[in-house]
Amino acid sequence: MMLIVPEALIADLVTAEDAFAAVEATFAAMARGEAYNFPVVREALGGDRQYGFKSGLDRAGGMLGVKAGGYFPGNLARGMTNHQSTVYLFDPETGRPTAMVGGNLLTALRTAAASAVSIDRLARRDARVLGMVGAGHQAAYQLRAAARVRKFEKVIGWNYHADMLPKLGAVAAELGLPFEAVSLDRMIEADVIVTITSSPAASLLDGHVSAGTHLACMGTDTKGKQEVAPALLARARVFTDEVAQSVTIGEAQHAIAEGLIRAEDITPIGAVIAGMAEGRQSNDQITLFDGTGVGLQDLAVAGAAVRRAEARGLGVSVTI
Ligand code: NAD
């Protein structure tokens, strides 16, 4: 039997807490060598449409699967979201399909969970000011997930398109946090900075970040995107979800190309979670998490959705 869990059910099935636990366990399994991602396929379909497949195997979690998804800029005009994705799960022993799960909300939840895991593990315990660079679709999820792991007292935000900031301010208000739209140089006041933009060039520069800050750089997931100055990676202790992606399609691609850091300088966050590597080493150290987004994150949250749906008798079972 295969269970279909439609997109419309996900919001009631998977919480930010579920996503956090699933993603944290997956990163640790990757570090222990129990789980690995298969090579990513990403193709330009023409007319700015992109499509790709992110897949992997988690032996510990008993998960095999793929997220098929892409970007279709014409969708908004048709009343649909531009990003469309679906996760397919298979039995790792037999290869039989076990589930098909709507992947749009799950993508936002798993991406926000990754940065929250990094903040939880790497930010100073006394972090009080959260800086947000970016105010698009993902930014709201990022802000909510970050607020779960530290007692922030204030949120400051910058966005290239300033008119998008009030929407992010409303999310802060929903969390009971004061929000201030600021210039980039005011990011020096932040203890944690989340970057979540589709920028092709660095917004956040070395001088915008003070000692002891944790940066979660979440927007760069493709060659050619860039959110922060390479000098910041040279100054920071750098962590990532997967080193192979970090140096090719992540934020580190630029610092690597400029010879400022080497792949060996980058620590998988899973190694910190699994107790195999040190995290933050001092209160003055800048820590930077390069979140590139791996297929195993998608499988982990889809698995959580399936278990919840099964427990509640939701979804549609089909024989195939
Ligand atoms: P969105 O289209 O809703 O928002 C885009 C954001 O980028 C906005 O804040 C916009 O103002 C900003 N921006 C656009 N052009 C810019 C420029 N030239 N300079 C600076 N900022 C600019 O997108 P979203 O869904 O919020 O996604 C944001 C980014 O996160 C995208 O690059 C997306 O591919 C990436 N993403 C990463 C992961 C991951 O796992 N790491 C997962 C999902 C999405």
Side-chain angles (χ1 to χ4, degrees):
M1 289 294 262
M2 176 182 176
L3 186 68
I4 299 175
V5 186
E7 183 67 43
L9 283 182
I10 301 296
D12 285 333
L13 291 174
V14 183
T15 64
E17 287 86 340
D18 298 327
F20 184 97
V23 167
E24 187 176 54
T26 291
F27 286 160
M30 283 167 61
R32 287 193 293 261
E34 295 165 355
Y36 68 103
N37 296 289
F38 304 160
V40 175
V41 174
R42 200 167 165 85
E43 291 289 322
L45 303 184
D48 277 345
R49 290 168 305 153
Q50 299 274 339
Y51 207 72
F53 304 93
K54 284 189 167 182
S55 53
L57 169 68
D58 181 346
R59 285 194 194 90
M63 307 274 291
L64 171 68
V66 57
K67 176 168 88 170
Y71 179 69
F72 298 82
N75 280 9
L76 270 184
R78 299 182 174 122
M80 285 181 268
T81 136
N82 286 349
H83 290 272
Q84 289 292 334
S85 58
T86 310
V87 183
Y88 298 86
L89 300 178
F90 304 89
D91 179 344
E93 293 306 317
T94 63
R96 283 186 59 83
T98 55
M100 172 179 160
V101 188
N104 294 350
L105 177 57
L106 285 181
T107 298
L109 290 171
R110 66 79 146 143
T111 305
S115 87
V117 165
S118 85
I119 295 167
D120 187 44
R121 295 282 169 173
L122 301 171
R124 292 193 330 269
R125 289 274 142 208
D126 64 354
R128 291 293 173 258
V129 179
L130 172 63
M132 294 291 306
V133 173
H137 178 70
Q138 302 277 337
Y141 295 92
Q142 292 283 330
L143 172 48
R144 289 192 193 102
R148 283 189 57 251
V149 293
R150 283 294 181 276
K151 288 192 172 63
F152 292 113
E153 291 170 355
K154 182 179 180 178
V155 182
I156 56 177
W158 177 86
N159 195 46
Y160 183 72
H161 304 100
D163 57 322
M164 293 166 81
L165 282 166
K167 229 173 128 188
L168 192 63
V171 176
E174 188 191 283
L175 298 164
L177 290 168
F179 180 86
E180 191 183 351
V182 297
S183 58
L184 274 170
D185 37 307
R186 290 271 311 276
M187 284 292 154
I188 198 100
E189 296 167 27
D191 302 308
V192 172
I193 302 174
V194 175
T195 63
I196 183 73
T197 68
S198 51
S199 176
S203 305
L204 197 69
L205 306 180
D206 199 17
H208 297 148
V209 178
S210 54
T213 301
H214 173 65
L215 297 159
C217 301
M218 305 305 297
T220 298
D221 55 0
T222 309
K223 233 181 198 76
K225 287 187 190 172
Q226 184 176 19
E227 300 194 283
V228 310
L232 269 169
L233 283 93
R235 196 174 150 209
R237 183 160 154 77
V238 181
F239 300 82
T240 188
D241 40 25
E242 189 187 85
V243 175
Q245 285 199 176
S246 172
V247 301
T248 51
I249 58 169
E251 195 60 42
Q253 63 182 286
H254 307 288
I256 292 275
E258 290 183 20
L260 293 176
I261 63 166
R262 301 161 307 160
E264 305 87 85
D265 299 326
I266 306 176
T267 305
I269 187 92
V272 178
I273 299 164
M276 298 157 61
E278 264 188 295
R280 165 175 294 279
Q281 294 163 320
S282 76
N283 274 341
D284 285 348
Q285 189 168 54
I286 293 177
T287 50
L288 185 150
F289 175 68
D290 184 6
T292 64
V294 295
L296 285 168
Q297 282 171 260
D298 297 301
L299 307 192
V301 289
V306 168
R307 284 191 297 277
R308 255 318 135 65
E310 281 170 347
R312 295 194 194 156
L314 296 172
V316 181
S317 281
V318 291
T319 309
I320 68 162

